Amino acid sequence: MRPKRFSSIFAALAVLLLGFAVAAFLSRKQTPPEKPAMKSAAFQPVALDTVANGRVLLPFEMSGSIEALRKIEIYAEVPGIFRDASSPFREGTWFRKGETLLLLDDAVYRNSVLAEKSRLLSQLTLVLPDLIIDFPEESEKWKAYVAPRL
C-alpha cells in the first residue's frame, strides 16, 4: 500500500470512531424529568368574569395627507377680485359651518355697470328732443325716466 492511501483510510477510521464516541456520550445524558400527570379538570373550580358590553375606544395616530370624501368644485360665475376670508382658501384649510369661504370684491364690475348706465342716460338725453317732436305722447314717459337719474 502506498503511504497516501494509508493516511486517507486512517483519517476515515478516525472520523468514524470519533462519531461513535460522541454518539455514546450524548446517549448517556440524563433524560428530562417527566411532567406530573394532569389532574382531571371535571371537578376543579373555574374562575369566571362578568362582561359588560360597551364602547371600546382604541386610540391611534395617523400621519399623511387626506382626501375629502365629498368633494365640491367652486366656479365663480361673476366677475370680481378674489379676497381671502377669515381663513385662506387653499387645499387643506378647514372651515366651520356657516363660515365665509371666500369673498369677491365686485367694485370693478359695479363701476362698469355704472359706466354703462351713464352712457345710456347720455344717449337718451341726446335722443330726447327728437322723441318730443316725433312722439309727443311718449315723450313724457322718457322725460320721467331720465329726470330722476340725472
Side-chain angles (χ1 to χ4, degrees):
M1 283 176 104
R2 290 195 223 150
K4 246 185 183 183
R5 191 172 187 170
F6 179 71
S7 64
S8 64
I9 292 174
F10 181 71
L13 286 175
V15 168
L16 281 175
L17 286 176
L18 184 64
F20 283 125
V22 169
F25 175 72
L26 291 176
S27 66
R28 279 193 223 154
K29 278 193 162 186
Q30 295 178 357
T31 58
E34 291 186 22
K35 294 181 182 177
M38 296 289 281
K39 294 181 182 176
S40 174
F43 299 106
Q44 291 183 355
V46 178
L48 298 175
D49 280 340
T50 304
V51 177
N53 290 335
R55 197 169 179 187
V56 177
L57 299 176
L58 300 174
F60 63 94
E61 292 183 18
M62 294 176 61
S63 63
S65 60
I66 60 171
E67 190 171 319
L69 181 64
R70 293 180 303 235
K71 290 183 180 182
I72 61 169
E73 293 185 19
I74 299 174
Y75 297 100
E77 298 205 5
V78 295
I81 298 172
F82 177 73
R83 303 277 186 224
D84 280 336
S86 58
S87 300
F89 191 71
R90 294 195 182 112
E91 185 176 338
T93 304
W94 59 279
F95 296 90
R96 290 191 173 97
K97 183 177 180 179
E99 190 175 355
T100 304
L101 294 178
L102 55 96
L103 297 171
L104 287 175
D105 186 10
D106 64 344
V108 174
Y109 181 69
R110 184 174 298 164
N111 289 336
S112 67
V113 168
L114 290 174
E116 288 297 320
K117 181 180 175 184
S118 175
R119 278 190 226 124
L120 174 68
L121 289 174
S122 175
Q123 292 296 320
L124 280 175
T125 53
L126 291 175
V127 174
L128 198 55
D130 292 337
L131 282 174
I132 292 171
I133 294 170
D134 293 339
F135 304 100
E137 65 278 349
E138 298 293 324
S139 65
E140 291 304 318
K141 292 178 187 175
W142 286 106
K143 281 182 188 178
Y145 180 79
V146 172
R149 290 167 174 75
L150 290 178

